[in-house]
Amino acid sequence: MDKFVIQGGKPISGTVRISGAKNASLALMPATILAPGTFTLLNTPTLRDITTMARLLESMGVKSSHANHAMTIDSSQLSRFEAPYEHVKRMRASIYVLGPLLGRYGKAKVSMPGGCAWGPRPVNLHIEGMKKLGAEVELKGGYIVASAKRLKGARILFDVSSVGATGNVLMAAVLAKGITTIENAAIEPEITALAEFLQSMGARIQGIGTSKLEIDGADTLHPRNVTTIPDRIEAGTFLVAGAMAAKHGAKIRLDQCNPDHLSAVIAKLEDAGAELSCGSGFIEIKAPVEINAVDVSTAIYPGFPTDMQAQWIALMSLAKGTSVVTDNIYHDRFMHVPELNRLGADVTVRDNTATVVGGKKLTGAKVMSTDLRASASLILAGLAAEGTSEVLRVYHLDRGYESIEKKLHQLGADIERVKGEEF
Ligand code: UD1
């Protein structure tokens, strides 16, 4: 397992290129199951989760290659309909093969994802959605076993807005017979990107970008090429890095990003005192002289993303004053807090709310990554801390941040990956 060694306190500035969105790619890749043939997915990031999805598809007979951010997928030889535990345990998003397998082939066996580092993450909405579309679904030996002759359009109203359930049911419904409506559908940009890709393949979908999708099932779909949208969470993380570790007034520019996807994060950074300017495909942040304490509450899109909550707590630990950070999506997602406190932050958690007493001096320490975004917050705090920090178990970061140490290095940070030992 690799670790990062960071010499903190180095000011950063310059330009960084934002990669394609992990969470969009993880939906686009399984969508290729829906139409046998060859697809090219441009701007696909080089990440562990992407490799995991490619391997899962390969285990079903779907071939792929990935070079220079172009992923070519040939789904014409798909011959197995199973997502085994060994893949799903590595990555929950493996469940995204359920909808397309059922829609295209009428059968799927997908290991139930377990909980994750910060608590239970149910998949009941995915299963209920498939049942509504007429699938017979059984839970056997830790697997979701589903079958249907041909799915039938239905009205589906989600109790909770779920990115994964919306994507999965959408992929199932595009080949169902008749009309499906999905109400309280997720409107995250990754779902919009998926819906537009499906539409380009011949799917008939109305209401894209809204919380009510209407799908008129097609008999067949066709392979198409697509360019993956930029990763808004990677972009948000670099913006927070800019606010924390840039010397007062220094600038960081993000290229190849979409500012429209980051409105809530941008607004909160402005409240915190940073100056931001945005244009087509770029965002520039000028670090504040003093960081204001700003409360955030996570919400579904376009609200403040839960995937930015840990990074925000890291930022607020440097703020002047006390702030309150509430996670309304994942109530237990605070594994980073004890580790941030080891770096000198003063954060207490009660229920789903963290109280961050800012203005504490961060000092280098050894800390442990527990999940993807928690790890990002530890890197940010390490960059701002005085002295040497070691962030252990960085494989979490490799799941979702492409070359993070290289990108930070380019900006002037002193961060080094130490490979291969058991830390
Ligand atoms: C996706 C993202 C993840 C992000 C999350 C919330 C991917 C691969 N992952 O995860 O990075 O943190 O959205 O923005 O895109 N829920 C249920 N039943 C279900 C499904 C979800 O109750 O069947 C609940 C969850 O517990 C959670 C809420 O719905 O409270 C939202 O979760 P969801 O949007 O489904 O998250 P994911 O799609 O797993």
Side-chain angles (χ1 to χ4, degrees):
M1 278 188 257
D2 298 355
K3 68 177 176 184
F4 284 142
V5 179
I6 302 169
Q7 304 297 336
K10 297 259 156 79
I12 58 172
S13 63
T15 301
V16 66
R17 175 195 163 276
I18 297 305
S19 300
K22 168 180 85 80
N23 287 351
S25 292
L26 291 177
L28 299 177
M29 290 170 70
T32 63
I33 292 172
L34 290 162
T38 305
F39 300 68
T40 302
L41 278 48
L42 297 172
N43 202 29
T44 302
T46 308
L47 296 169
R48 250 170 43 114
D49 274 7
I50 299 299
T51 309
T52 303
M53 182 59 86
R55 292 214 178 115
L56 167 59
L57 292 173
E58 197 179 282
S59 75
M60 298 175 184
V62 176
K63 296 194 188 77
S64 65
S65 62
H66 190 194
N68 301 321
H69 297 120
M71 174 162 281
T72 304
I73 299 184
D74 176 2
S75 60
S76 58
Q77 305 297 318
L78 191 145
S79 55
R80 283 179 299 280
F81 311 93
E82 179 172 339
Y85 177 63
E86 60 180 291
H87 292 284
V88 181
K89 77 171 184 211
R90 277 199 195 102
M91 187 183 69
R92 298 175 50 82
S94 305
I95 197 173
Y96 263 143
V97 299
L98 176 65
L101 281 176
L102 257 182
R104 173 75 180 84
Y105 296 98
K107 51 186 162 181
K109 184 177 171 192
V110 178
S111 174
M112 284 281 283
C116 70
W118 69 80
R121 287 176 71 182
V123 289
N124 58 310
L125 300 174
H126 300 241
I127 294 172
E128 281 163 25
M130 300 308 158
K131 283 185 180 164
K132 283 258 164 68
L133 292 173
E136 278 186 27
V137 184
E138 269 185 295
L139 300 181
K140 263 201 291 202
Y143 278 78
I144 303 163
V145 184
S147 61
K149 272 215 176 88
R150 183 177 176 189
L151 296 174
K152 288 194 195 73
R155 179 171 172 243
I156 294 164
L157 195 159
F158 287 128
D159 290 343
V160 178
S161 171
S162 158
V163 174
T166 302
N168 227 343
V169 170
L170 175 61
M171 288 192 273
V174 287
L175 287 177
K177 190 171 171 51
I179 309 274
T180 298
T181 52
I182 306 177
E183 289 174 65
N184 198 20
I187 59 166
E188 271 66 5
E190 295 74 22
I191 291 298
T192 299
L194 170 66
E196 286 173 350
F197 179 46
L198 295 170
Q199 204 173 40
S200 78
M201 290 165 62
R204 296 183 290 254
I205 307 170
Q206 283 181 13
I208 293 177
T210 75
S211 59
K212 184 172 179 185
L213 296 172
E214 189 171 295
I215 303 127
D216 182 2
D219 290 333
T220 50
L221 300 176
H222 314 286
R224 287 288 178 269
N225 300 337
V226 65
T227 300
T228 307
I229 58 170
D231 197 307
R232 63 197 167 100
I233 306 302
E234 187 200 18
T237 303
F238 276 99
L239 289 177
V240 172
M244 284 177 79
K247 213 173 182 163
H248 309 316
K251 284 184 185 168
I252 288 191
R253 180 185 161 104
L254 313 187
D255 277 343
Q256 295 186 38
C257 63
N258 187 340
D260 294 344
H261 293 166
L262 280 151
S263 309
V265 175
I266 289 172
K268 289 290 177 185
L269 282 165
E270 284 174 339
D271 291 348
E275 278 176 46
L276 288 106
S277 56
C278 304
S280 170
F282 80 88
I283 309 176
E284 206 165 63
I285 180 164
K286 190 170 160 195
V289 175
E290 194 168 58
I291 299 167
N292 304 323
V294 178
D295 298 348
V296 305
S297 273
T298 67
I300 57 171
Y301 188 81
F304 191 93
T306 174
D307 285 351
M308 285 297 301
Q309 177 258 101
Q311 300 89 315
W312 194 260
I313 290 182
L315 173 67
M316 285 302 105
S317 67
L318 300 183
K320 194 180 85 180
T322 298
S323 55
V324 174
V325 178
T326 304
D327 200 319
N328 295 308
I329 309 293
Y330 295 115
H331 293 183
D332 300 322
R333 193 182 197 176
F334 291 102
M335 302 286 283
H336 40 286
V337 165
E339 300 298 302
L340 288 170
N341 286 346
R342 299 188 70 246
L343 291 164
D346 181 352
V347 188
T348 44
V349 176
R350 202 168 157 199
D351 301 327
N352 63 333
T353 295
T355 303
V356 190
V357 180
K360 304 283 169 181
K361 195 167 155 218
L362 301 186
T363 45
K366 268 192 187 181
V367 285
M368 187 86 88
S369 296
T370 48
D371 66 73
L372 176 56
R373 308 304 170 186
S375 312
S377 75
L378 298 178
I379 298 276
L380 295 174
L383 291 174
E386 203 178 281
T388 308
S389 293
E390 292 190 11
V391 180
L392 312 184
R393 298 197 178 166
V394 300
Y395 60 85
H396 292 293
L397 280 155
D398 294 336
R399 291 186 50 192
Y401 287 91
E402 190 176 56
S403 311
I404 189 166
E405 76 276 28
K406 290 191 188 126
K407 290 185 182 189
L408 286 167
H409 200 73
Q410 256 174 20
L411 296 174
D414 188 340
I415 175 168
E416 188 196 354
R417 178 186 290 260
V418 178
K419 278 201 159 289
E421 297 162 43
E422 276 299 319
F423 296 112

PDB file of all heavy atoms in Angstrom, residues 304-323:
ATOM      1  N   PHE A 304     -25.100  21.659  -1.945  1.00  0.00           N
ATOM      2  CA  PHE A 304     -23.685  21.397  -1.645  1.00  0.00           C
ATOM      3  C   PHE A 304     -23.473  19.884  -1.566  1.00  0.00           C
ATOM      4  O   PHE A 304     -24.115  19.194  -0.774  1.00  0.00           O
ATOM      5  CB  PHE A 304     -23.302  22.066  -0.321  1.00  0.00           C
ATOM      6  CG  PHE A 304     -21.823  22.081  -0.073  1.00  0.00           C
ATOM      7  CD1 PHE A 304     -21.061  23.176  -0.467  1.00  0.00           C
ATOM      8  CD2 PHE A 304     -21.178  21.001   0.518  1.00  0.00           C
ATOM      9  CE1 PHE A 304     -19.674  23.191  -0.265  1.00  0.00           C
ATOM     10  CE2 PHE A 304     -19.802  21.010   0.720  1.00  0.00           C
ATOM     11  CZ  PHE A 304     -19.054  22.109   0.328  1.00  0.00           C
ATOM     12  N   PRO A 305     -22.550  19.325  -2.374  1.00  0.00           N
ATOM     13  CA  PRO A 305     -22.444  17.858  -2.451  1.00  0.00           C
ATOM     14  C   PRO A 305     -21.861  17.213  -1.195  1.00  0.00           C
ATOM     15  O   PRO A 305     -20.903  17.738  -0.618  1.00  0.00           O
ATOM     16  CB  PRO A 305     -21.482  17.624  -3.632  1.00  0.00           C
ATOM     17  CG  PRO A 305     -20.942  18.937  -4.042  1.00  0.00           C
ATOM     18  CD  PRO A 305     -21.656  20.025  -3.295  1.00  0.00           C
ATOM     19  N   THR A 306     -22.427  16.076  -0.813  1.00  0.00           N
ATOM     20  CA  THR A 306     -21.845  15.303   0.295  1.00  0.00           C
ATOM     21  C   THR A 306     -20.401  14.928  -0.011  1.00  0.00           C
ATOM     22  O   THR A 306     -19.582  14.808   0.897  1.00  0.00           O
ATOM     23  CB  THR A 306     -22.694  14.035   0.597  1.00  0.00           C
ATOM     24  OG1 THR A 306     -22.019  13.243   1.575  1.00  0.00           O
ATOM     25  CG2 THR A 306     -22.937  13.173  -0.619  1.00  0.00           C
ATOM     26  N   ASP A 307     -20.091  14.754  -1.288  1.00  0.00           N
ATOM     27  CA  ASP A 307     -18.718  14.385  -1.658  1.00  0.00           C
ATOM     28  C   ASP A 307     -17.721  15.528  -1.450  1.00  0.00           C
ATOM     29  O   ASP A 307     -16.522  15.338  -1.667  1.00  0.00           O
ATOM     30  CB  ASP A 307     -18.666  13.901  -3.121  1.00  0.00           C
ATOM     31  CG  ASP A 307     -19.242  12.506  -3.289  1.00  0.00           C
ATOM     32  OD1 ASP A 307     -19.518  11.844  -2.279  1.00  0.00           O
ATOM     33  OD2 ASP A 307     -19.420  12.071  -4.451  1.00  0.00           O
ATOM     34  N   MET A 308     -18.182  16.703  -1.034  1.00  0.00           N
ATOM     35  CA  MET A 308     -17.284  17.823  -0.713  1.00  0.00           C
ATOM     36  C   MET A 308     -17.300  18.153   0.782  1.00  0.00           C
ATOM     37  O   MET A 308     -16.659  19.105   1.215  1.00  0.00           O
ATOM     38  CB  MET A 308     -17.693  19.083  -1.501  1.00  0.00           C
ATOM     39  CG  MET A 308     -17.326  19.059  -2.979  1.00  0.00           C
ATOM     40  SD  MET A 308     -15.537  18.976  -3.262  1.00  0.00           S
ATOM     41  CE  MET A 308     -14.989  20.454  -2.422  1.00  0.00           C
ATOM     42  N   GLN A 309     -18.054  17.366   1.547  1.00  0.00           N
ATOM     43  CA  GLN A 309     -18.217  17.692   2.979  1.00  0.00           C
ATOM     44  C   GLN A 309     -16.897  17.582   3.746  1.00  0.00           C
ATOM     45  O   GLN A 309     -16.531  18.478   4.534  1.00  0.00           O
ATOM     46  CB  GLN A 309     -19.302  16.759   3.543  1.00  0.00           C
ATOM     47  CG  GLN A 309     -19.582  16.878   5.001  1.00  0.00           C
ATOM     48  CD  GLN A 309     -18.927  15.734   5.761  1.00  0.00           C
ATOM     49  OE1 GLN A 309     -17.875  15.884   6.376  1.00  0.00           O
ATOM     50  NE2 GLN A 309     -19.552  14.569   5.722  1.00  0.00           N
ATOM     51  N   ALA A 310     -16.145  16.510   3.508  1.00  0.00           N
ATOM     52  CA  ALA A 310     -14.892  16.306   4.252  1.00  0.00           C
ATOM     53  C   ALA A 310     -13.892  17.421   3.930  1.00  0.00           C
ATOM     54  O   ALA A 310     -13.217  17.960   4.825  1.00  0.00           O
ATOM     55  CB  ALA A 310     -14.293  14.946   3.894  1.00  0.00           C
ATOM     56  N   GLN A 311     -13.820  17.796   2.651  1.00  0.00           N
ATOM     57  CA  GLN A 311     -12.879  18.838   2.243  1.00  0.00           C
ATOM     58  C   GLN A 311     -13.277  20.173   2.874  1.00  0.00           C
ATOM     59  O   GLN A 311     -12.422  20.980   3.239  1.00  0.00           O
ATOM     60  CB  GLN A 311     -12.860  18.979   0.708  1.00  0.00           C
ATOM     61  CG  GLN A 311     -12.456  17.728  -0.063  1.00  0.00           C
ATOM     62  CD  GLN A 311     -13.635  16.835  -0.382  1.00  0.00           C
ATOM     63  OE1 GLN A 311     -14.493  16.567   0.456  1.00  0.00           O
ATOM     64  NE2 GLN A 311     -13.703  16.363  -1.610  1.00  0.00           N
ATOM     65  N   TRP A 312     -14.597  20.394   3.017  1.00  0.00           N
ATOM     66  CA  TRP A 312     -15.052  21.654   3.600  1.00  0.00           C
ATOM     67  C   TRP A 312     -14.653  21.735   5.085  1.00  0.00           C
ATOM     68  O   TRP A 312     -14.231  22.788   5.579  1.00  0.00           O
ATOM     69  CB  TRP A 312     -16.569  21.842   3.430  1.00  0.00           C
ATOM     70  CG  TRP A 312     -16.965  23.249   3.709  1.00  0.00           C
ATOM     71  CD1 TRP A 312     -17.506  23.748   4.855  1.00  0.00           C
ATOM     72  CD2 TRP A 312     -16.776  24.361   2.832  1.00  0.00           C
ATOM     73  NE1 TRP A 312     -17.667  25.104   4.750  1.00  0.00           N
ATOM     74  CE2 TRP A 312     -17.220  25.508   3.509  1.00  0.00           C
ATOM     75  CE3 TRP A 312     -16.255  24.492   1.532  1.00  0.00           C
ATOM     76  CZ2 TRP A 312     -17.181  26.775   2.942  1.00  0.00           C
ATOM     77  CZ3 TRP A 312     -16.215  25.758   0.962  1.00  0.00           C
ATOM     78  CH2 TRP A 312     -16.677  26.879   1.666  1.00  0.00           C
ATOM     79  N   ILE A 313     -14.761  20.604   5.776  1.00  0.00           N
ATOM     80  CA  ILE A 313     -14.358  20.599   7.197  1.00  0.00           C
ATOM     81  C   ILE A 313     -12.863  20.936   7.298  1.00  0.00           C
ATOM     82  O   ILE A 313     -12.445  21.705   8.172  1.00  0.00           O
ATOM     83  CB  ILE A 313     -14.690  19.239   7.853  1.00  0.00           C
ATOM     84  CG1 ILE A 313     -16.210  19.106   7.987  1.00  0.00           C
ATOM     85  CG2 ILE A 313     -14.023  19.111   9.224  1.00  0.00           C
ATOM     86  CD1 ILE A 313     -16.686  17.834   8.657  1.00  0.00           C
ATOM     87  N   ALA A 314     -12.060  20.385   6.380  1.00  0.00           N
ATOM     88  CA  ALA A 314     -10.620  20.699   6.398  1.00  0.00           C
ATOM     89  C   ALA A 314     -10.415  22.206   6.222  1.00  0.00           C
ATOM     90  O   ALA A 314      -9.628  22.828   6.946  1.00  0.00           O
ATOM     91  CB  ALA A 314      -9.899  19.919   5.297  1.00  0.00           C
ATOM     92  N   LEU A 315     -11.132  22.795   5.287  1.00  0.00           N
ATOM     93  CA  LEU A 315     -11.004  24.249   5.053  1.00  0.00           C
ATOM     94  C   LEU A 315     -11.430  25.033   6.294  1.00  0.00           C
ATOM     95  O   LEU A 315     -10.744  25.967   6.724  1.00  0.00           O
ATOM     96  CB  LEU A 315     -11.859  24.650   3.834  1.00  0.00           C
ATOM     97  CG  LEU A 315     -11.975  26.147   3.554  1.00  0.00           C
ATOM     98  CD1 LEU A 315     -10.621  26.728   3.134  1.00  0.00           C
ATOM     99  CD2 LEU A 315     -13.012  26.428   2.455  1.00  0.00           C
ATOM    100  N   MET A 316     -12.561  24.627   6.870  1.00  0.00           N
ATOM    101  CA  MET A 316     -13.101  25.381   8.005  1.00  0.00           C
ATOM    102  C   MET A 316     -12.201  25.295   9.242  1.00  0.00           C
ATOM    103  O   MET A 316     -12.257  26.146  10.122  1.00  0.00           O
ATOM    104  CB  MET A 316     -14.517  24.875   8.347  1.00  0.00           C
ATOM    105  CG  MET A 316     -15.557  25.348   7.361  1.00  0.00           C
ATOM    106  SD  MET A 316     -15.632  27.162   7.258  1.00  0.00           S
ATOM    107  CE  MET A 316     -14.832  27.514   5.719  1.00  0.00           C
ATOM    108  N   SER A 317     -11.353  24.266   9.278  1.00  0.00           N
ATOM    109  CA  SER A 317     -10.441  24.173  10.432  1.00  0.00           C
ATOM    110  C   SER A 317      -9.437  25.334  10.422  1.00  0.00           C
ATOM    111  O   SER A 317      -8.828  25.629  11.442  1.00  0.00           O
ATOM    112  CB  SER A 317      -9.740  22.814  10.466  1.00  0.00           C
ATOM    113  OG  SER A 317      -8.869  22.715   9.365  1.00  0.00           O
ATOM    114  N   LEU A 318      -9.297  25.998   9.267  1.00  0.00           N
ATOM    115  CA  LEU A 318      -8.388  27.157   9.193  1.00  0.00           C
ATOM    116  C   LEU A 318      -9.145  28.486   9.294  1.00  0.00           C
ATOM    117  O   LEU A 318      -8.535  29.553   9.255  1.00  0.00           O
ATOM    118  CB  LEU A 318      -7.637  27.150   7.847  1.00  0.00           C
ATOM    119  CG  LEU A 318      -6.760  25.944   7.521  1.00  0.00           C
ATOM    120  CD1 LEU A 318      -6.053  26.162   6.189  1.00  0.00           C
ATOM    121  CD2 LEU A 318      -5.731  25.712   8.617  1.00  0.00           C
ATOM    122  N   ALA A 319     -10.472  28.411   9.398  1.00  0.00           N
ATOM    123  CA  ALA A 319     -11.267  29.650   9.320  1.00  0.00           C
ATOM    124  C   ALA A 319     -11.213  30.442  10.619  1.00  0.00           C
ATOM    125  O   ALA A 319     -10.874  29.910  11.680  1.00  0.00           O
ATOM    126  CB  ALA A 319     -12.721  29.296   9.002  1.00  0.00           C
ATOM    127  N   LYS A 320     -11.600  31.696  10.473  1.00  0.00           N
ATOM    128  CA  LYS A 320     -11.699  32.539  11.669  1.00  0.00           C
ATOM    129  C   LYS A 320     -13.107  32.326  12.237  1.00  0.00           C
ATOM    130  O   LYS A 320     -14.092  32.774  11.644  1.00  0.00           O
ATOM    131  CB  LYS A 320     -11.511  34.000  11.238  1.00  0.00           C
ATOM    132  CG  LYS A 320     -11.260  34.958  12.387  1.00  0.00           C
ATOM    133  CD  LYS A 320     -11.096  36.364  11.881  1.00  0.00           C
ATOM    134  CE  LYS A 320     -12.426  36.990  11.743  1.00  0.00           C
ATOM    135  NZ  LYS A 320     -12.779  38.196  11.346  1.00  0.00           N
ATOM    136  N   GLY A 321     -13.220  31.604  13.326  1.00  0.00           N
ATOM    137  CA  GLY A 321     -14.543  31.382  13.915  1.00  0.00           C
ATOM    138  C   GLY A 321     -14.997  29.939  13.810  1.00  0.00           C
ATOM    139  O   GLY A 321     -14.274  29.073  13.322  1.00  0.00           O
ATOM    140  N   THR A 322     -16.205  29.720  14.255  1.00  0.00           N
ATOM    141  CA  THR A 322     -16.742  28.358  14.352  1.00  0.00           C
ATOM    142  C   THR A 322     -17.803  28.144  13.269  1.00  0.00           C
ATOM    143  O   THR A 322     -18.638  29.012  13.027  1.00  0.00           O
ATOM    144  CB  THR A 322     -17.361  28.154  15.751  1.00  0.00           C
ATOM    145  OG1 THR A 322     -16.305  28.308  16.703  1.00  0.00           O
ATOM    146  CG2 THR A 322     -17.991  26.797  15.917  1.00  0.00           C
ATOM    147  N   SER A 323     -17.751  26.993  12.651  1.00  0.00           N
ATOM    148  CA  SER A 323     -18.751  26.696  11.612  1.00  0.00           C
ATOM    149  C   SER A 323     -19.398  25.346  11.892  1.00  0.00           C
ATOM    150  O   SER A 323     -18.858  24.516  12.621  1.00  0.00           O
ATOM    151  CB  SER A 323     -18.103  26.690  10.239  1.00  0.00           C
ATOM    152  OG  SER A 323     -17.029  25.781  10.248  1.00  0.00           O
TER     153      SER A 323
END
